[in-house]
Amino acid sequence: LQPLFEMSYSCSKVGDPRPGQPYKGGHFCAFLPDNKEGQRTALLLKKAFDRGLTFQIKSFSGEERVTWAHIPHKTSWGGGKARNGYPDAQYLQEVCTVL
C-alpha cells in the first residue's frame, strides 16, 4: 500500500503557531506492506488523518509549514529505521501502539 497525503492550502487552527493564518501544504508519501497487518495499520492511519492527528504546523523563519505529527511513518522503502524506511521489523507494532 502507498497512501499519499496531500495538503495544498488551508488555515491554521487554535494551538498552531499563528492561529487563523494561512499556511503552505505539501506532498507526503508513506509506505506500508500489502499484507493483513499493513492493511489494518492503513485503516488506523486513515482514522488518525480524519481526526487531524497526522500532520502539524510548524513555524520556520516566520512561515508556517505542514509537517508530519508524532505518528511515525515509513517514507522510504529502504534505509532502515534510521532513515524512516524498511527493513524495520518492529514498525507495524510500534505505529499501532501510537495509534
Side-chain angles (χ1 to χ4, degrees), residues 5 53 67 83:
F5 301 105
L53 302 173
T67 63
R83 294 194 173 168

Side-chain angles (χ1 to χ4, degrees), residues 20-98:
Q21 298 298 310
Y23 58 87
K24 293 181 182 180
H27 294 276
F28 299 84
C29 186
F31 299 93
L32 293 169
D34 190 10
N35 59 28
K36 187 176 179 179
E37 286 182 88
Q39 292 168 3
R40 179 176 160 258
T41 303
L43 292 173
L44 293 173
L45 287 169
K46 169 84 167 81
K47 286 182 182 181
F49 178 81
D50 291 343
R51 295 177 181 166
L53 302 173
T54 304
F55 299 102
Q56 63 185 350
I57 300 170
K58 287 191 175 180
S59 184
F60 295 93
S61 301
E63 178 180 86
E64 279 66 46
R65 294 184 188 172
V66 178
T67 63
W68 289 112
H70 303 289
I71 299 168
H73 286 81
K74 290 298 177 188
T75 56
S76 172
W77 277 117
K81 187 173 187 170
R83 294 194 173 168
N84 295 323
Y86 293 98
D88 182 352
Q90 300 302 316
Y91 172 67
L92 293 176
Q93 181 181 354
E94 289 173 3
V95 74
C96 286
T97 298
V98 170

